[in-house]
Amino acid sequence: MEDLFHILTNFGLYLKAYFSSLSADFLNHKKRIFIGYLAISLVMAVVFLWAWRGLGMRGAFKKVFDKKVFWSASAKADYVIYAVNRLISIMISPYLIAQGVVTTFLFFQLSKQNVIGFLTLDHWPSSIIITFYTLTYFFIDDLSKYFVHRCMHRWQFLWAFHKVHHSAETMTPITVYRVHPVESILYGLRGSVVLGAVIGLFAYCFGINNFSLATLLGVNLFSFIFNVAGANLRHSHIEIAYWPWLEKILISPAQHQLHHSIENKHFNKNYGAMLALWDWLFGSLHFSETGKKIRFGLRPNEASATNILQIYLRPFIDIFKALRVGCRKVLGLLKTRLTLKNF
């Protein structure tokens, strides 16, 4: 009886943690869908449609809160995926461990090797160190997001998981959470490696006593600006574009919407998270095309999951099929070579 009581108590605590997690990101100013950022994006969208597109206040609100978007089958799937992923995230969080491991490993390895100890940078003012850290972390983190995102599209194994995100046929701010758990783990590990590496490097270069890790682990200034500047409009039906010169530097909401387009000319374009600079440098930049109706989702040749269970399982099925085809090709080549050799 006592065991049953403990089981029920633990289950109750687990449920409480789960339901709390459902609203956590809406109340956390470090998250993109924080209610404050959502409110700012709403104001930006309404003002843009009213003042720039001339829809009028009523028309602007009607466009922003389009029922066909927020209550579409795709949007409903987003909401369910968000809830299911929350359940999964409570059970598995390996990247939280990886971050501390990487930080500690790099710090002690650099200390033992004495690679850059001669620089004696520990006399720098803390304000300069923190500014330098913020800039360094921002650029390295954003560059790593670009390359991981690019790999997600170019490598068939990774695309099997990433196409869950691209299967959205209508987009809302919650679409950012339409991600397969495997992709979430990979991106989480990426973030842990980058953050751990940068902190480990700075802790060694400037001395662990010159700053607190709590300060470095806090909200990144650029992430805050990004969220305040309407990051939630990237996954939306409101196509706000920037000037061409600015779209070479920053990814506009309209540019990211093109990234979700099913048109061939838009595929494998605009991988950037915050900066379009990487797309410009590595040849994947595509300027926004406003005034055109964009179809989101997967291309006709891509198998699309039709229910939640398929969304989570289909990537593994696709990978298994790809491996089977690959093995058949390899065996076929080996068989051909052996036949020619014997002949």
Side-chain angles (χ1 to χ4, degrees), residues 42-339:
L42 168 63
V43 172
M44 290 178 63
V46 170
V47 170
F48 171 76
L49 293 172
W50 169 58
W52 192 267
R53 292 289 175 84
L55 292 184
M57 192 60 69
R58 175 181 285 186
F61 272 97
K62 187 177 180 180
K63 173 75 172 177
V64 170
F65 295 104
D66 190 342
K67 293 181 180 178
K68 293 180 179 179
V69 173
F70 287 94
W71 294 110
S72 67
S74 178
K76 290 176 181 177
D78 287 349
Y79 309 147
V80 175
I81 293 170
Y82 173 76
V84 174
N85 281 351
R86 280 293 168 188
L87 187 64
I88 295 172
S89 66
I90 291 176
M91 297 184 289
I92 51 172
S93 300
Y95 50 88
L96 295 177
I97 300 173
Q99 180 176 299
V101 171
V102 172
T103 303
T104 306
F105 174 79
L106 283 174
F107 178 73
F108 283 106
Q109 287 300 313
L110 287 171
S111 298
K112 285 192 296 183
Q113 298 299 324
N114 197 27
V115 178
I116 47 181
F118 64 89
L119 293 178
T120 60
L121 303 176
D122 57 342
H123 66 282
W124 286 22
S126 296
S127 58
I128 294 179
I129 295 174
I130 296 299
T131 300
F132 187 33
Y133 164 82
T134 301
L135 291 170
T136 301
Y137 173 64
F138 168 68
F139 281 106
I140 294 178
D141 185 64
D142 201 69
L143 179 60
S144 71
K145 287 178 180 177
Y146 170 84
F147 276 114
V148 171
H149 193 183
R150 186 167 183 145
C151 289
M152 287 281 178
H153 280 258
R154 297 301 181 95
W155 297 357
Q156 190 173 7
F157 170 78
L158 295 177
W159 172 246
F161 297 105
H162 185 58
K163 72 179 181 181
V164 169
H165 181 64
H166 278 267
S167 65
E169 296 179 350
T170 57
M171 293 201 294
T172 73
I174 303 299
T175 304
V176 72
Y177 290 91
R178 188 191 183 103
V179 179
H180 195 281
V182 171
E183 180 178 344
S184 295
I185 291 172
L186 292 174
Y187 264 101
L189 289 172
R190 174 214 59 80
S192 296
V193 170
V194 170
L195 184 58
V198 174
I199 290 178
L201 182 62
F202 269 71
Y204 178 68
C205 289
F206 298 99
I208 193 68
N209 295 322
N210 275 310
F211 54 79
S212 67
L213 292 183
T215 300
L216 297 182
L217 290 168
V219 180
N220 185 276
L221 174 64
F222 294 100
S223 295
F224 173 75
I225 294 172
F226 176 66
N227 290 326
V228 168
N232 285 297
L233 295 174
R234 292 157 58 91
H235 294 106
S236 77
H237 53 293
I238 311 300
E239 48 179 18
I240 296 180
Y242 300 154
W243 297 282
W245 65 267
L246 186 57
E247 288 194 340
K248 290 182 179 180
I249 304 171
L250 303 174
I251 291 283
S252 70
Q255 278 179 294
H256 189 73
Q257 289 159 12
L258 285 184
H259 175 73
H260 281 263
S261 169
I262 66 171
E263 287 192 51
N264 289 331
K265 66 177 181 177
H266 298 149
F267 199 64
N268 291 333
K269 299 294 183 181
N270 299 343
Y271 297 115
M274 298 186 204
L275 297 177
L277 180 64
W278 316 123
D279 286 296
W280 184 35
L281 290 174
F282 298 108
S284 54
L285 180 70
H286 196 295
F287 293 111
S288 57
E289 299 176 1
T290 56
K292 296 182 180 180
K293 187 173 178 59
I294 301 174
R295 287 183 59 196
F296 304 131
L298 298 175
R299 295 183 295 176
N301 63 327
E302 292 282 354
S304 179
T306 56
N307 59 54
I308 297 300
L309 186 61
Q310 287 185 359
I311 284 174
Y312 285 95
L313 295 182
R314 184 175 287 280
F316 298 105
I317 296 172
D318 290 345
I319 290 171
F320 174 76
K321 289 180 178 178
L323 288 173
R324 187 172 61 180
V325 170
C327 288
R328 285 178 178 175
K329 288 182 179 179
V330 171
L331 290 173
L333 288 172
L334 290 174
K335 186 177 180 180
T336 302
R337 287 188 178 183
L338 287 173
T339 301

